[in-house]
Amino acid sequence: MTHDLSNKGFATRQIHAGSIDIPGIKPLATPIFQTSTFVFDSAAQGAARFAGEEDGFIYTRMGNPNHEQVGQKIASLENAEAGLVLSSGMGAINTCLLTILRSGDHLLADETLYGATFSFLAKGMSHYGIDVTFTDFSDIENVTDNIKPNTKAVYFETPANPTLKVLDLELVADTVHAVNQDIKVIVDNTFCTPYIQRPIELGVDVVIHSGTKYLNGHGDVISGMICGTKEFVGQCKDFGLKLVTGAVVSPFDAFLISRGMKTLDIRMEKHCSNAMKVAEFLEGHEKVAKVYYPGLPSFSGYEIAKKQMRLPGGIITFELDATKEQSESFINTLELCSLAVSLGDTETLIQHPASMTHASYSKEELKEAKISESMIRLSVGLETAEDIIEDLRVGLDRL
Ligand code: LCS
């Protein structure tokens, strides 16, 4: 399906990886294979496909050309052997972890995670007899100290949602593998995308994405992805996705994601340059108490970010020098910034993590994860930077 693109640049691969050849027709854009099932030429062929003796599509839960295209694209961009697209980021996380873990196993996770991921690990995993420990990976001794003989996977985000805590990918991967080479080190790379950061090149085993965010990039699809070795992604596909979660994405959504991914690099450049301007504006404003952004030298994660991220990303978290009511009215009165969860869209989105994306954390858990109740998270969009800043300035001046 794919030409050899191994020596080609990122921009070329985001456009051409996973391209589908249809002899005799040759459409430039990929058709949408909106079909639930595929017709066999014969009973023998059907049997051969089920037996894995012949390549070819069977049924869309088990594979579809639009899925293959996205899987190949993300694998190429992450520098992974293989990639798989799923129905949501949560679908990807569930599929990945339930492929690795079984009753009696242990999972070690960083304590600052997207709210639903935290909930699934904190509450859902016990349904399967899986033990989970949360700790702060910023202190690498917390990682070493909490690995047990039955630890099968280590899970974290960097930068983390919503505090933007930056963790050293290479250090975490090397530390875990030095204790036990077989432990799968899994990182959620949603905030960066492979344009900014490629964890597999730094020793991580598995990369997860919410494809809902920058990869699709246009706020019109929910999806997720898993990248890793051919063997592991094959297990996620043939066991996790096919038999356990059934988290299959529609061919139409896969088509939209593939279309979105073709412009990933230029969108990420603009998200990041806009975010840098907005972060500098916020940091200089007297009504802003603190700004969390990997591109600011004042930010605690700045040095590690510089080492492993090619750009600082498009998400900024900040705290106002204001009461809870004032912060709420600030968010309510913005005009250009939309009050909505999600991130990575063309539109600038603003939300309050403690009561929205991270509402599943208890007050104590929020404190533990250093998610303050006054944090406001901004996903800087692709509008004109000065217009985003002006919207924020008007809101801040009203305080
Ligand atoms: N991982 C991260 C880092 C996320 O931010 C999200 C969603 C997910 C996984 C789950 O992906 P989904 O199933 O939604 O595709 N984050 C959201 C957020 O911060 N606001 O709304 C959703």
mmCIF file of all heavy atoms in Angstrom, residues 305-341:
data_model
loop_
_atom_site.group_PDB
_atom_site.id
_atom_site.type_symbol
_atom_site.label_atom_id
_atom_site.label_comp_id
_atom_site.label_asym_id
_atom_site.label_seq_id
_atom_site.Cartn_x
_atom_site.Cartn_y
_atom_site.Cartn_z
ATOM 1 N N ALA A 305 12.035 20.192 28.704
ATOM 2 C CA ALA A 305 11.260 20.421 27.478
ATOM 3 C C ALA A 305 12.198 20.768 26.320
ATOM 4 O O ALA A 305 12.057 20.251 25.209
ATOM 5 C CB ALA A 305 10.239 21.538 27.694
ATOM 6 N N LYS A 306 13.180 21.612 26.609
ATOM 7 C CA LYS A 306 14.121 22.039 25.564
ATOM 8 C C LYS A 306 14.893 20.840 25.008
ATOM 9 O O LYS A 306 15.202 20.770 23.827
ATOM 10 C CB LYS A 306 15.104 23.057 26.171
ATOM 11 C CG LYS A 306 15.310 24.250 25.257
ATOM 12 C CD LYS A 306 16.013 25.408 25.899
ATOM 13 C CE LYS A 306 17.316 25.069 26.553
ATOM 14 N NZ LYS A 306 18.039 26.228 27.075
ATOM 15 N N LYS A 307 15.147 19.875 25.885
ATOM 16 C CA LYS A 307 15.924 18.702 25.509
ATOM 17 C C LYS A 307 15.122 17.743 24.621
ATOM 18 O O LYS A 307 15.647 17.157 23.683
ATOM 19 C CB LYS A 307 16.331 17.996 26.806
ATOM 20 C CG LYS A 307 17.379 16.934 26.655
ATOM 21 C CD LYS A 307 17.839 16.391 28.006
ATOM 22 C CE LYS A 307 16.797 15.459 28.592
ATOM 23 N NZ LYS A 307 17.253 14.496 29.556
ATOM 24 N N GLN A 308 13.811 17.579 24.906
ATOM 25 C CA GLN A 308 13.079 16.514 24.212
ATOM 26 C C GLN A 308 11.917 16.992 23.341
ATOM 27 O O GLN A 308 11.355 16.206 22.593
ATOM 28 C CB GLN A 308 12.587 15.470 25.216
ATOM 29 C CG GLN A 308 11.564 15.982 26.211
ATOM 30 C CD GLN A 308 11.290 15.001 27.345
ATOM 31 O OE1 GLN A 308 12.108 14.144 27.651
ATOM 32 N NE2 GLN A 308 10.117 15.105 27.965
ATOM 33 N N MET A 309 11.574 18.272 23.435
ATOM 34 C CA MET A 309 10.474 18.788 22.605
ATOM 35 C C MET A 309 11.046 19.804 21.618
ATOM 36 O O MET A 309 11.748 20.718 22.027
ATOM 37 C CB MET A 309 9.426 19.495 23.484
ATOM 38 C CG MET A 309 8.665 18.556 24.395
ATOM 39 S SD MET A 309 7.759 19.416 25.727
ATOM 40 C CE MET A 309 6.576 20.416 24.824
ATOM 41 N N ARG A 310 10.689 19.648 20.347
ATOM 42 C CA ARG A 310 11.264 20.589 19.395
ATOM 43 C C ARG A 310 10.574 21.953 19.453
ATOM 44 O O ARG A 310 11.152 22.971 19.042
ATOM 45 C CB ARG A 310 11.273 19.967 17.995
ATOM 46 C CG ARG A 310 10.185 20.346 17.087
ATOM 47 C CD ARG A 310 10.136 19.490 15.867
ATOM 48 N NE ARG A 310 10.257 20.322 14.697
ATOM 49 C CZ ARG A 310 10.689 19.904 13.542
ATOM 50 N NH1 ARG A 310 11.081 18.666 13.386
ATOM 51 N NH2 ARG A 310 10.738 20.721 12.523
ATOM 52 N N LEU A 311 9.339 21.998 19.973
ATOM 53 C CA LEU A 311 8.602 23.248 20.181
ATOM 54 C C LEU A 311 7.840 23.113 21.503
ATOM 55 O O LEU A 311 7.603 21.991 21.960
ATOM 56 C CB LEU A 311 7.610 23.480 19.033
ATOM 57 C CG LEU A 311 8.193 23.806 17.652
ATOM 58 C CD1 LEU A 311 7.100 23.740 16.597
ATOM 59 C CD2 LEU A 311 8.845 25.180 17.650
ATOM 60 N N PRO A 312 7.403 24.230 22.104
ATOM 61 C CA PRO A 312 6.809 24.125 23.442
ATOM 62 C C PRO A 312 5.336 23.712 23.505
ATOM 63 O O PRO A 312 4.791 23.596 24.592
ATOM 64 C CB PRO A 312 6.988 25.532 24.012
ATOM 65 C CG PRO A 312 7.485 26.394 22.933
ATOM 66 C CD PRO A 312 7.656 25.611 21.690
ATOM 67 N N GLY A 313 4.688 23.516 22.369
ATOM 68 C CA GLY A 313 3.303 23.063 22.397
ATOM 69 C C GLY A 313 2.303 24.195 22.372
ATOM 70 O O GLY A 313 2.672 25.384 22.430
ATOM 71 N N GLY A 314 1.026 23.836 22.297
ATOM 72 C CA GLY A 314 -0.037 24.834 22.128
ATOM 73 C C GLY A 314 -0.937 24.995 23.341
ATOM 74 O O GLY A 314 -1.967 25.668 23.261
ATOM 75 N N ILE A 315 -0.585 24.352 24.452
ATOM 76 C CA ILE A 315 -1.449 24.414 25.642
ATOM 77 C C ILE A 315 -0.773 25.246 26.736
ATOM 78 O O ILE A 315 0.406 25.042 27.038
ATOM 79 C CB ILE A 315 -1.728 23.005 26.224
ATOM 80 C CG1 ILE A 315 -2.152 22.022 25.131
ATOM 81 C CG2 ILE A 315 -2.760 23.063 27.353
ATOM 82 C CD1 ILE A 315 -3.482 22.296 24.511
ATOM 83 N N ILE A 316 -1.541 26.150 27.299
ATOM 84 C CA ILE A 316 -1.038 26.990 28.398
ATOM 85 C C ILE A 316 -2.000 26.841 29.570
ATOM 86 O O ILE A 316 -3.220 26.886 29.373
ATOM 87 C CB ILE A 316 -1.022 28.487 27.989
ATOM 88 C CG1 ILE A 316 -0.172 28.701 26.740
ATOM 89 C CG2 ILE A 316 -0.549 29.365 29.142
ATOM 90 C CD1 ILE A 316 -0.356 30.085 26.119
ATOM 91 N N THR A 317 -1.460 26.686 30.760
ATOM 92 C CA THR A 317 -2.306 26.717 31.954
ATOM 93 C C THR A 317 -1.872 27.923 32.777
ATOM 94 O O THR A 317 -0.685 28.248 32.817
ATOM 95 C CB THR A 317 -2.183 25.374 32.702
ATOM 96 O OG1 THR A 317 -2.785 24.373 31.884
ATOM 97 C CG2 THR A 317 -2.893 25.403 34.035
ATOM 98 N N PHE A 318 -2.832 28.605 33.365
ATOM 99 C CA PHE A 318 -2.467 29.790 34.169
ATOM 100 C C PHE A 318 -3.433 29.989 35.324
ATOM 101 O O PHE A 318 -4.530 29.416 35.342
ATOM 102 C CB PHE A 318 -2.383 31.048 33.284
ATOM 103 C CG PHE A 318 -3.653 31.428 32.577
ATOM 104 C CD1 PHE A 318 -4.467 32.454 33.065
ATOM 105 C CD2 PHE A 318 -4.055 30.782 31.413
ATOM 106 C CE1 PHE A 318 -5.630 32.826 32.405
ATOM 107 C CE2 PHE A 318 -5.229 31.135 30.754
ATOM 108 C CZ PHE A 318 -6.009 32.151 31.243
ATOM 109 N N GLU A 319 -2.961 30.773 36.281
ATOM 110 C CA GLU A 319 -3.776 31.096 37.446
ATOM 111 C C GLU A 319 -3.890 32.603 37.544
ATOM 112 O O GLU A 319 -2.898 33.307 37.313
ATOM 113 C CB GLU A 319 -3.112 30.559 38.727
ATOM 114 C CG GLU A 319 -3.126 29.054 38.781
ATOM 115 C CD GLU A 319 -2.178 28.467 39.816
ATOM 116 O OE1 GLU A 319 -1.153 29.110 40.132
ATOM 117 O OE2 GLU A 319 -2.461 27.377 40.294
ATOM 118 N N LEU A 320 -5.085 33.070 37.888
ATOM 119 C CA LEU A 320 -5.284 34.508 38.003
ATOM 120 C C LEU A 320 -5.072 34.958 39.440
ATOM 121 O O LEU A 320 -5.248 34.175 40.376
ATOM 122 C CB LEU A 320 -6.708 34.874 37.579
ATOM 123 C CG LEU A 320 -7.084 34.563 36.131
ATOM 124 C CD1 LEU A 320 -8.529 34.975 35.861
ATOM 125 C CD2 LEU A 320 -6.142 35.270 35.167
ATOM 126 N N ASP A 321 -4.729 36.212 39.566
ATOM 127 C CA ASP A 321 -4.694 36.829 40.888
ATOM 128 C C ASP A 321 -6.110 37.347 41.123
ATOM 129 O O ASP A 321 -6.395 38.525 40.929
ATOM 130 C CB ASP A 321 -3.657 37.965 40.850
ATOM 131 C CG ASP A 321 -3.433 38.554 42.219
ATOM 132 O OD1 ASP A 321 -3.971 37.989 43.188
ATOM 133 O OD2 ASP A 321 -2.723 39.563 42.305
ATOM 134 N N ALA A 322 -7.026 36.423 41.443
ATOM 135 C CA ALA A 322 -8.447 36.781 41.497
ATOM 136 C C ALA A 322 -9.194 35.763 42.342
ATOM 137 O O ALA A 322 -8.687 34.676 42.614
ATOM 138 C CB ALA A 322 -9.022 36.773 40.080
ATOM 139 N N THR A 323 -10.427 36.106 42.715
ATOM 140 C CA THR A 323 -11.258 35.154 43.460
ATOM 141 C C THR A 323 -11.814 34.127 42.477
ATOM 142 O O THR A 323 -11.741 34.306 41.246
ATOM 143 C CB THR A 323 -12.451 35.870 44.122
ATOM 144 O OG1 THR A 323 -13.255 36.417 43.059
ATOM 145 C CG2 THR A 323 -11.990 36.977 45.059
ATOM 146 N N LYS A 324 -12.444 33.075 43.048
ATOM 147 C CA LYS A 324 -13.040 32.024 42.221
ATOM 148 C C LYS A 324 -14.132 32.631 41.310
ATOM 149 O O LYS A 324 -14.215 32.324 40.121
ATOM 150 C CB LYS A 324 -13.647 30.980 43.163
ATOM 151 C CG LYS A 324 -14.166 29.751 42.499
ATOM 152 C CD LYS A 324 -14.425 28.668 43.552
ATOM 153 C CE LYS A 324 -15.020 27.443 42.904
ATOM 154 N NZ LYS A 324 -16.486 27.403 42.977
ATOM 155 N N GLU A 325 -14.928 33.534 41.907
ATOM 156 C CA GLU A 325 -16.026 34.155 41.146
ATOM 157 C C GLU A 325 -15.462 35.013 40.010
ATOM 158 O O GLU A 325 -15.986 35.018 38.895
ATOM 159 C CB GLU A 325 -16.904 35.032 42.068
ATOM 160 C CG GLU A 325 -17.745 34.269 43.076
ATOM 161 C CD GLU A 325 -16.906 33.586 44.177
ATOM 162 O OE1 GLU A 325 -15.845 34.134 44.554
ATOM 163 O OE2 GLU A 325 -17.304 32.487 44.615
ATOM 164 N N GLN A 326 -14.397 35.732 40.304
ATOM 165 C CA GLN A 326 -13.793 36.585 39.265
ATOM 166 C C GLN A 326 -13.217 35.720 38.128
ATOM 167 O O GLN A 326 -13.369 36.060 36.956
ATOM 168 C CB GLN A 326 -12.675 37.447 39.871
ATOM 169 C CG GLN A 326 -13.199 38.615 40.685
ATOM 170 C CD GLN A 326 -12.062 39.344 41.403
ATOM 171 O OE1 GLN A 326 -11.146 38.719 41.927
ATOM 172 N NE2 GLN A 326 -12.133 40.665 41.427
ATOM 173 N N SER A 327 -12.579 34.595 38.501
ATOM 174 C CA SER A 327 -12.018 33.707 37.474
ATOM 175 C C SER A 327 -13.130 33.158 36.596
ATOM 176 O O SER A 327 -12.992 33.067 35.369
ATOM 177 C CB SER A 327 -11.278 32.532 38.120
ATOM 178 O OG SER A 327 -10.189 32.997 38.836
ATOM 179 N N GLU A 328 -14.249 32.801 37.243
ATOM 180 C CA GLU A 328 -15.379 32.265 36.486
ATOM 181 C C GLU A 328 -15.933 33.318 35.536
ATOM 182 O O GLU A 328 -16.209 33.035 34.376
ATOM 183 C CB GLU A 328 -16.482 31.859 37.461
ATOM 184 C CG GLU A 328 -16.867 30.406 37.313
ATOM 185 C CD GLU A 328 -17.869 29.990 38.356
ATOM 186 O OE1 GLU A 328 -18.989 30.538 38.371
ATOM 187 O OE2 GLU A 328 -17.510 29.110 39.175
ATOM 188 N N SER A 329 -16.067 34.531 36.032
ATOM 189 C CA SER A 329 -16.641 35.568 35.165
ATOM 190 C C SER A 329 -15.659 35.926 34.042
ATOM 191 O O SER A 329 -16.069 36.243 32.924
ATOM 192 C CB SER A 329 -17.109 36.769 35.977
ATOM 193 O OG SER A 329 -16.164 37.778 35.958
ATOM 194 N N PHE A 330 -14.354 35.808 34.311
ATOM 195 C CA PHE A 330 -13.347 36.022 33.251
ATOM 196 C C PHE A 330 -13.583 35.024 32.106
ATOM 197 O O PHE A 330 -13.677 35.407 30.931
ATOM 198 C CB PHE A 330 -11.941 35.849 33.845
ATOM 199 C CG PHE A 330 -10.848 35.657 32.827
ATOM 200 C CD1 PHE A 330 -10.406 36.728 32.058
ATOM 201 C CD2 PHE A 330 -10.268 34.406 32.621
ATOM 202 C CE1 PHE A 330 -9.399 36.550 31.099
ATOM 203 C CE2 PHE A 330 -9.263 34.221 31.673
ATOM 204 C CZ PHE A 330 -8.834 35.297 30.913
ATOM 205 N N ILE A 331 -13.740 33.751 32.459
ATOM 206 C CA ILE A 331 -13.944 32.724 31.427
ATOM 207 C C ILE A 331 -15.268 32.955 30.692
ATOM 208 O O ILE A 331 -15.346 32.823 29.472
ATOM 209 C CB ILE A 331 -13.949 31.304 32.058
ATOM 210 C CG1 ILE A 331 -12.599 30.979 32.682
ATOM 211 C CG2 ILE A 331 -14.283 30.250 31.034
ATOM 212 C CD1 ILE A 331 -12.534 29.620 33.353
ATOM 213 N N ASN A 332 -16.294 33.315 31.459
ATOM 214 C CA ASN A 332 -17.630 33.472 30.868
ATOM 215 C C ASN A 332 -17.712 34.606 29.865
ATOM 216 O O ASN A 332 -18.501 34.560 28.931
ATOM 217 C CB ASN A 332 -18.668 33.752 31.969
ATOM 218 C CG ASN A 332 -18.977 32.502 32.777
ATOM 219 O OD1 ASN A 332 -18.709 31.390 32.324
ATOM 220 N ND2 ASN A 332 -19.526 32.674 33.966
ATOM 221 N N THR A 333 -16.895 35.637 30.070
ATOM 222 C CA THR A 333 -17.080 36.825 29.248
ATOM 223 C C THR A 333 -16.167 36.884 28.023
ATOM 224 O O THR A 333 -16.275 37.807 27.216
ATOM 225 C CB THR A 333 -16.863 38.103 30.094
ATOM 226 O OG1 THR A 333 -15.591 37.995 30.715
ATOM 227 C CG2 THR A 333 -17.943 38.273 31.136
ATOM 228 N N LEU A 334 -15.294 35.909 27.875
ATOM 229 C CA LEU A 334 -14.432 35.928 26.683
ATOM 230 C C LEU A 334 -15.287 35.726 25.433
ATOM 231 O O LEU A 334 -16.303 35.028 25.476
ATOM 232 C CB LEU A 334 -13.370 34.826 26.785
ATOM 233 C CG LEU A 334 -12.359 34.980 27.927
ATOM 234 C CD1 LEU A 334 -11.436 33.774 27.993
ATOM 235 C CD2 LEU A 334 -11.539 36.260 27.781
ATOM 236 N N GLU A 335 -14.874 36.326 24.354
ATOM 237 C CA GLU A 335 -15.697 36.229 23.138
ATOM 238 C C GLU A 335 -15.078 35.349 22.072
ATOM 239 O O GLU A 335 -15.750 34.534 21.455
ATOM 240 C CB GLU A 335 -15.965 37.634 22.593
ATOM 241 C CG GLU A 335 -16.924 38.377 23.502
ATOM 242 C CD GLU A 335 -17.263 39.756 23.013
ATOM 243 O OE1 GLU A 335 -16.739 40.185 21.949
ATOM 244 O OE2 GLU A 335 -18.050 40.421 23.708
ATOM 245 N N LEU A 336 -13.775 35.495 21.844
ATOM 246 C CA LEU A 336 -13.135 34.691 20.801
ATOM 247 C C LEU A 336 -12.804 33.290 21.329
ATOM 248 O O LEU A 336 -12.981 32.291 20.623
ATOM 249 C CB LEU A 336 -11.854 35.391 20.327
ATOM 250 C CG LEU A 336 -11.140 34.724 19.155
ATOM 251 C CD1 LEU A 336 -12.011 34.711 17.910
ATOM 252 C CD2 LEU A 336 -9.824 35.435 18.857
ATOM 253 N N CYS A 337 -12.344 33.231 22.557
ATOM 254 C CA CYS A 337 -11.997 31.929 23.158
ATOM 255 C C CYS A 337 -13.291 31.218 23.540
ATOM 256 O O CYS A 337 -14.102 31.766 24.278
ATOM 257 C CB CYS A 337 -11.153 32.122 24.419
ATOM 258 S SG CYS A 337 -9.638 33.056 24.149
ATOM 259 N N SER A 338 -13.460 30.007 23.037
ATOM 260 C CA SER A 338 -14.685 29.247 23.338
ATOM 261 C C SER A 338 -14.517 28.492 24.640
ATOM 262 O O SER A 338 -13.480 27.870 24.873
ATOM 263 C CB SER A 338 -14.978 28.235 22.226
ATOM 264 O OG SER A 338 -15.138 28.899 20.999
ATOM 265 N N LEU A 339 -15.573 28.543 25.463
ATOM 266 C CA LEU A 339 -15.564 27.817 26.740
ATOM 267 C C LEU A 339 -15.926 26.369 26.449
ATOM 268 O O LEU A 339 -17.097 26.020 26.302
ATOM 269 C CB LEU A 339 -16.556 28.486 27.702
ATOM 270 C CG LEU A 339 -16.826 27.829 29.054
ATOM 271 C CD1 LEU A 339 -15.548 27.440 29.768
ATOM 272 C CD2 LEU A 339 -17.648 28.751 29.924
ATOM 273 N N ALA A 340 -14.906 25.533 26.308
ATOM 274 C CA ALA A 340 -15.138 24.128 25.938
ATOM 275 C C ALA A 340 -13.943 23.287 26.345
ATOM 276 O O ALA A 340 -12.802 23.759 26.320
ATOM 277 C CB ALA A 340 -15.346 24.004 24.427
ATOM 278 N N VAL A 341 -14.219 22.010 26.684
ATOM 279 C CA VAL A 341 -13.110 21.068 26.879
ATOM 280 C C VAL A 341 -12.631 20.613 25.506
ATOM 281 O O VAL A 341 -13.097 21.106 24.486
ATOM 282 C CB VAL A 341 -13.517 19.881 27.786
ATOM 283 C CG1 VAL A 341 -13.866 20.369 29.174
ATOM 284 C CG2 VAL A 341 -14.654 19.086 27.172
#
